[in-house]
Amino acid sequence: MDHARPLPAYLVNRYHGWKATIYTENRGWYRRLAEDGQHPRSMVISCCDSRVHVTSIFGADQGEFFIHRNIANLVPPFNPDGHHHGTSAAVEYAIRGLKVAHLIVLGHSGCGGVEGCYNMCSGNAPELEEANSFVGRWMDILRPGYADLPDGDDATRKQALEKASVVISLENLMTFPFVKEAVAAEALSIHGLWNDIGEGSLEAYDPISGAFKEI
Amino acid sequence: MDHARPLPAYLVNRYHGWKATIYTENRGWYRRLAEDGQHPRSMVISCCDSRVHVTSIFGADQGEFFIHRNIANLVPPFNPDGHHHGTSAAVEYAIRGLKVAHLIVLGHSGCGGVEGCYNMCSGNAPELEEANSFVGRWMDILRPGYADLPDGDDATRKQALEKASVVISLENLMTFPFVKEAVAAEALSIHGLWNDIGEGSLEAYDPISGAFKEI
Amino acid sequence: MDHARPLPAYLVNRYHGWKATIYTENRGWYRRLAEDGQHPRSMVISCCDSRVHVTSIFGADQGEFFIHRNIANLVPPFNPDGHHHGTSAAVEYAIRGLKVAHLIVLGHSGCGGVEGCYNMCSGNAPELEEANSFVGRWMDILRPGYADLPDGDDATRKQALEKASVVISLENLMTFPFVKEAVAAEALSIHGLWNDIGEGSLEAYDPISGAFKEI
Amino acid sequence: MDHARPLPAYLVNRYHGWKATIYTENRGWYRRLAEDGQHPRSMVISCCDSRVHVTSIFGADQGEFFIHRNIANLVPPFNPDGHHHGTSAAVEYAIRGLKVAHLIVLGHSGCGGVEGCYNMCSGNAPELEEANSFVGRWMDILRPGYADLPDGDDATRKQALEKASVVISLENLMTFPFVKEAVAAEALSIHGLWNDIGEGSLEAYDPISGAFKEI
């Protein structure tokens, strides 16, 4: 592996600063985390987007959240075909290994992945339809959500699709036998959230109304 | 989607606290992020493990890092077979869409996913060999690393395998044509790191010696 | 322009070293900054003093801070009289063009400009009172701060005047319509800091108590 | 001054990290800088642009460079009219107070201020012609450079204007009696540089050819 390069100096400096302060002040906790392993209460499935920091929003420190982040916070349907499934592996590990008590899917406004899906489904991004588009094939998971969008302008429909990405992921989660069983056994509760980045608001999916409501 | 449940009250409370303080004090920034979109300098591929917070280590706030987190911070080899590939989609989006300048793979000590791979490869976790084990099939990506482990006790070999997860991911990254091209064009540099959770240390992969060295 | 001279060799050497290392290791980032332009989160108004490096204190790399530096980190009152106003131009560019989310005024200990103002106002630097003293006329901006100084010895009063240079600049900033509007629209937050060079401490202006408090 | 807000937490954390590492490791130097005052060898006049860090390029630490940064690294002509002149005050302080031995004007590629001037002079930015445009009135300093631009496409002419901003500033510096005297006494040498951000190159103004040459 010849191509690896040294870390930029500004990150090295910041790391040294972290080690001398936050790490040092919490050394007992970090060592216990290392010795006892992790015991997170919740799993969070969030987007890779640099603007969404679930640990900041919920004041969570090391050890609280087992966090999987992918494009558009999607969970594919259960499909044990022997291939690599990073998201399914993360869910399996959290539920069966760590036995998390909560599984939170967190969507957000202005999601570039969802926008790509919207453009693809409306015929405006043919490049995403190509077989070798990883983003396009990943966003296929959300394709069923496009068909159910309400009428309206593009901005309204894109936001609805962002929220659909949360609901479809929750639905797909329930296709995993071990998720279904954990929910049935009341060992696990699942939650759907959507964050408006600019307004800092958080809306939760309400299964009774089928809508997202500000919390 | 009937199974979604309300968010636990303690998280609702913390969210309200965040909104009244950190969000409010940075509202201008959040709004600009919402309006202008993200311009992250770097992508980070890190583990889902609740004990590893790359934003804390590097003092990074919203907008700096595009973060993909999966089990054992793995990147599968390039394989555009038309199926869902969450990690490959995230890399594609970061390189081709966001044009990040750095791609950092961050491994860590005590990685449960790597330990599972180690047990599986040494014959001690037959359940992970089953076709329907998502974790097992995901950890297959790291299987080539097991064959190259040095002699030694289990702890030493597991740690070597954690570091191999970083190097193999870097190698697999270079099988993606758009990564290879961006590196060749000097638009992208890639970096391998390993974090000792208990000691708070950070080691960087050095391509000259082929070893990880504390930074 | 006949008077320009070649750069001293030691600076040429250092530049070549920088280019072969820091530049090369971050080439992708520099090129993206060149192609996409800057998107800084914050503007900093700091002193020209060679001892104050805001990028070092905050671990900031290229692209983060839009930095204006003048004598004593002063902002003059809004005065659109058609003349050259370098500081006002920088603020206008940052707020209206770049739409920065934070504006930080950073004062510091041992400020020579503030000391000159103190001496001028106390009658000990008549040369600064002359119409053709650029330093004296620039420090006139801080003159209102002298009248409000508490009793005490010279050292105490000079330090109070350094902190007044921050507060007066924040007040003057609010006389710019576009600053006032951005603050009212919660698109911008303003911050006052004072750095003790020798002790490495940083104090923040607290509007409730009207005092500076160590952070 | 009611509007000041607390510093964002990520900057507070980074500052504490800096204090525990870089400051602590250099405490002796910071304390001596505080007690003895600054003795910088050079003054640098650079742009506010977040992408240009002269201390990084030249490996300069606290104490080396007295740095004034304004839009487009401009120096206005000598004009002791009794008004506030921040740039002239900084030059006066550096030459007469600190007796710097070098004065470096550093321009750069992709300068937004220069582009504004170019658009204004070519009739494409009427808003910058208005009396109350601080940016426009500041960029008037560079207006004489527009008249002398060579023929060519816009990109070529803008870059030529960026270099003209350096030369005009050097010429204006020589209109200050104390600069002229210091140069005549061989106490001061002046230098003109232009930095290509994306390429990391540095070109120096050569008074013999009247051109900028890579160093």
Side-chain angles (χ1 to χ4, degrees):
Chain A
M1 215 304 113
D2 297 340
H3 299 87
R5 302 290 306 151
L7 203 63
Y10 81 104
L11 291 180
V12 174
N13 289 341
R14 287 196 200 162
Y15 153 66
H16 286 142
W18 168 84
K19 186 164 182 186
T21 53
I22 292 176
Y23 168 74
T24 299
E25 289 152 16
N26 294 279
R27 183 179 275 135
W29 176 238
Y30 287 106
R31 289 192 173 162
R32 219 190 79 194
L33 281 175
E35 285 163 24
D36 291 357
Q38 59 177 333
H39 298 86
R41 175 168 175 174
S42 306
M43 178 183 192
V44 177
I45 298 175
S46 174
C47 185
C48 300
D49 193 299
S50 64
R51 300 169 296 177
V52 182
H53 283 188
V54 70
T55 51
S56 175
I57 292 175
F58 289 122
D61 208 38
Q62 267 80 345
E64 288 197 56
F65 289 154
F66 182 81
I67 303 175
H68 173 59
R69 295 178 69 170
N70 64 35
I71 300 284
N73 38 271
L74 289 173
V75 177
F78 180 68
N79 181 21
D81 59 3
H83 291 131
H84 306 319
H85 290 288
T87 298
S88 304
V91 172
E92 183 183 86
Y93 191 87
I95 304 295
R96 303 186 69 175
L98 299 171
K99 302 188 191 306
V100 296
H102 303 277
L103 205 166
I104 299 166
V105 177
L106 171 63
H108 69 97
S109 63
C111 182
V114 170
E115 185 173 31
C117 180
Y118 183 86
N119 293 338
M120 175 175 73
C121 294
S122 55
N124 295 312
E127 70 283 6
L128 291 175
E129 295 282 11
E130 308 209 356
N132 65 357
S133 167
F134 289 115
V135 172
R137 299 299 59 72
W138 179 248
M139 296 310 303
D140 279 343
I141 299 171
L142 182 54
R143 201 182 279 266
Y146 182 80
D148 295 335
L149 288 181
D151 290 337
D153 59 20
D154 282 346
T156 303
R157 284 159 58 85
K158 282 179 191 170
Q159 195 174 98
L161 195 57
E162 286 164 1
K163 293 177 180 176
S165 81
V166 175
V167 178
I168 286 176
S169 290
L170 294 177
E171 288 170 347
N172 286 344
L173 277 170
M174 292 301 288
T175 65
F176 287 72
F178 47 82
V179 173
K180 198 171 177 180
E181 285 163 23
V183 168
E186 298 186 321
L188 173 71
S189 57
I190 62 177
H191 314 270
L193 299 174
W194 177 84
N195 169 230
D196 185 308
I197 289 173
E199 293 310 306
S201 59
L202 204 55
E203 301 184 6
Y205 176 69
D206 171 35
I208 295 171
S209 66
F212 281 75
K213 296 186 176 172
E214 194 154 348
I215 65 174
Chain B
M1 214 303 114
D2 298 339
H3 299 88
R5 304 289 305 148
L7 203 62
Y10 82 104
L11 290 180
V12 174
N13 290 342
R14 287 196 199 162
Y15 155 66
H16 286 142
W18 169 82
K19 187 161 181 186
T21 53
I22 293 176
Y23 168 74
T24 299
E25 287 154 16
N26 294 280
R27 184 179 272 136
W29 177 237
Y30 287 106
R31 290 192 173 162
R32 218 189 81 193
L33 283 175
E35 284 163 26
D36 291 358
Q38 58 177 332
H39 300 274
R41 175 168 176 172
S42 305
M43 178 184 193
V44 177
I45 298 176
S46 174
C47 186
C48 300
D49 194 300
S50 63
R51 300 169 295 177
V52 183
H53 283 188
V54 69
T55 51
S56 176
I57 291 175
F58 289 122
D61 208 43
Q62 266 81 343
E64 288 197 56
F65 289 154
F66 182 80
I67 302 176
H68 174 59
R69 294 177 69 170
N70 63 35
I71 301 284
N73 39 271
L74 289 173
V75 177
F78 179 69
N79 181 22
D81 59 4
H83 292 129
H84 307 318
H85 291 287
T87 298
S88 303
V91 172
E92 184 182 87
Y93 191 87
I95 304 297
R96 302 187 70 174
L98 299 172
K99 301 186 191 308
V100 297
H102 304 277
L103 204 165
I104 299 167
V105 177
L106 171 62
H108 69 95
S109 64
C111 182
V114 170
E115 185 174 30
C117 181
Y118 184 85
N119 293 338
M120 175 175 74
C121 294
S122 56
N124 294 312
E127 73 282 7
L128 291 174
E129 294 283 12
E130 307 207 359
N132 66 357
S133 167
F134 290 116
V135 172
R137 300 297 62 70
W138 180 248
M139 296 310 304
D140 280 343
I141 299 169
L142 182 54
R143 201 182 278 267
Y146 181 81
D148 295 335
L149 287 181
D151 290 336
D153 58 21
D154 282 347
T156 303
R157 285 160 58 86
K158 281 180 193 171
Q159 194 173 98
L161 195 57
E162 287 165 1
K163 293 177 180 177
S165 82
V166 175
V167 178
I168 286 175
S169 291
L170 294 177
E171 287 171 346
N172 286 344
L173 278 170
M174 292 300 288
T175 65
F176 288 73
F178 46 83
V179 173
K180 197 172 177 178
E181 283 162 23
V183 169
E186 298 186 316
L188 173 72
S189 56
I190 62 178
H191 314 269
L193 298 175
W194 177 85
N195 170 229
D196 185 309
I197 289 173
E199 294 310 305
S201 59
L202 205 54
E203 301 184 4
Y205 176 70
D206 171 36
I208 295 169
S209 65
F212 282 75
K213 295 185 176 173
E214 194 156 346
I215 64 174
Chain C
M1 214 303 113
D2 297 339
H3 299 88
R5 303 289 306 149
L7 204 62
Y10 82 104
L11 290 179
V12 174
N13 290 341
R14 287 195 198 164
Y15 155 67
H16 285 141
W18 168 83
K19 187 162 182 187
T21 55
I22 293 176
Y23 168 74
T24 298
E25 287 154 17
N26 294 279
R27 182 178 274 135
W29 176 237
Y30 287 106
R31 289 191 174 163
R32 219 189 79 193
L33 282 175
E35 284 163 27
D36 291 357
Q38 59 178 332
H39 301 273
R41 175 168 177 173
S42 306
M43 177 184 193
V44 177
I45 298 176
S46 174
C47 185
C48 300
D49 194 300
S50 63
R51 300 168 296 178
V52 183
H53 283 188
V54 69
T55 51
S56 176
I57 291 175
F58 289 122
D61 209 44
Q62 267 82 342
E64 288 197 56
F65 290 154
F66 182 80
I67 303 175
H68 173 59
R69 294 178 69 171
N70 64 35
I71 300 283
N73 39 270
L74 289 172
V75 178
F78 179 69
N79 181 22
D81 60 3
H83 292 130
H84 307 318
H85 290 287
T87 298
S88 303
V91 172
E92 183 182 87
Y93 190 87
I95 303 296
R96 302 186 71 173
L98 300 172
K99 301 187 193 303
V100 297
H102 305 276
L103 204 165
I104 298 167
V105 177
L106 171 63
H108 69 96
S109 64
C111 182
V114 171
E115 185 174 30
C117 180
Y118 183 85
N119 293 339
M120 175 175 75
C121 294
S122 55
N124 295 312
E127 72 282 7
L128 290 174
E129 294 283 11
E130 307 207 357
N132 67 356
S133 166
F134 290 115
V135 172
R137 299 297 60 71
W138 179 248
M139 295 311 303
D140 280 343
I141 299 170
L142 182 54
R143 200 182 280 266
Y146 182 80
D148 295 335
L149 288 181
D151 290 337
D153 59 20
D154 281 348
T156 303
R157 285 159 58 84
K158 282 179 191 169
Q159 193 173 97
L161 195 57
E162 286 165 0
K163 293 177 180 177
S165 81
V166 175
V167 178
I168 285 175
S169 290
L170 293 177
E171 288 171 346
N172 286 345
L173 278 170
M174 292 299 289
T175 65
F176 287 73
F178 46 81
V179 173
K180 198 172 177 178
E181 284 162 23
V183 168
E186 299 186 315
L188 173 72
S189 57
I190 62 177
H191 313 270
L193 298 174
W194 177 85
N195 169 230
D196 184 309
I197 290 172
E199 294 310 307
S201 59
L202 204 55
E203 300 183 5
Y205 176 69
D206 171 36
I208 295 171
S209 65
F212 282 75
K213 295 184 175 172
E214 193 154 348
I215 64 174
Chain D
M1 213 305 114
D2 297 339
H3 298 88
R5 302 289 306 150
L7 203 62
Y10 82 102
L11 291 180
V12 174
N13 288 341
R14 286 196 200 161
Y15 153 66
H16 286 142
W18 169 83
K19 186 164 181 185
T21 53
I22 294 176
Y23 168 74
T24 299
E25 289 152 16
N26 294 280
R27 183 178 273 135
W29 176 237
Y30 286 106
R31 289 192 173 161
R32 218 189 80 195
L33 282 175
E35 284 163 24
D36 291 359
Q38 59 176 332
H39 298 85
R41 176 167 174 175
S42 305
M43 178 183 192
V44 177
I45 298 176
S46 174
C47 185
C48 299
D49 194 301
S50 65
R51 301 169 295 178
V52 182
H53 283 188
V54 68
T55 52
S56 176
I57 292 174
F58 290 122
D61 207 40
Q62 267 80 342
E64 288 198 57
F65 288 155
F66 182 82
I67 302 175
H68 173 60
R69 294 177 69 170
N70 63 35
I71 301 282
N73 39 271
L74 290 173
V75 178
F78 180 68
N79 181 21
D81 59 4
H83 291 130
H84 307 317
H85 291 286
T87 298
S88 303
V91 172
E92 183 183 87
Y93 191 87
I95 304 296
R96 303 186 68 175
L98 299 172
K99 301 188 191 309
V100 297
H102 304 277
L103 205 165
I104 299 166
V105 177
L106 172 63
H108 69 96
S109 63
C111 182
V114 170
E115 185 175 31
C117 180
Y118 184 85
N119 293 339
M120 175 175 74
C121 294
S122 56
N124 294 313
E127 71 282 7
L128 290 174
E129 295 283 12
E130 307 208 357
N132 66 357
S133 166
F134 291 116
V135 172
R137 299 298 60 70
W138 179 249
M139 296 310 304
D140 279 343
I141 299 170
L142 182 55
R143 202 183 278 265
Y146 182 81
D148 295 335
L149 288 181
D151 290 337
D153 59 20
D154 282 346
T156 303
R157 285 160 57 86
K158 282 180 192 170
Q159 193 173 99
L161 194 58
E162 287 165 0
K163 294 177 179 177
S165 81
V166 175
V167 178
I168 286 175
S169 290
L170 294 176
E171 288 171 346
N172 286 345
L173 277 169
M174 293 300 288
T175 66
F176 288 72
F178 45 84
V179 173
K180 197 171 177 179
E181 284 162 22
V183 169
E186 298 184 322
L188 173 71
S189 57
I190 63 177
H191 314 270
L193 299 174
W194 177 86
N195 170 229
D196 185 308
I197 289 173
E199 294 311 305
S201 59
L202 204 55
E203 300 183 7
Y205 177 70
D206 171 35
I208 295 170
S209 65
F212 281 75
K213 296 186 175 172
E214 194 155 346
I215 66 173

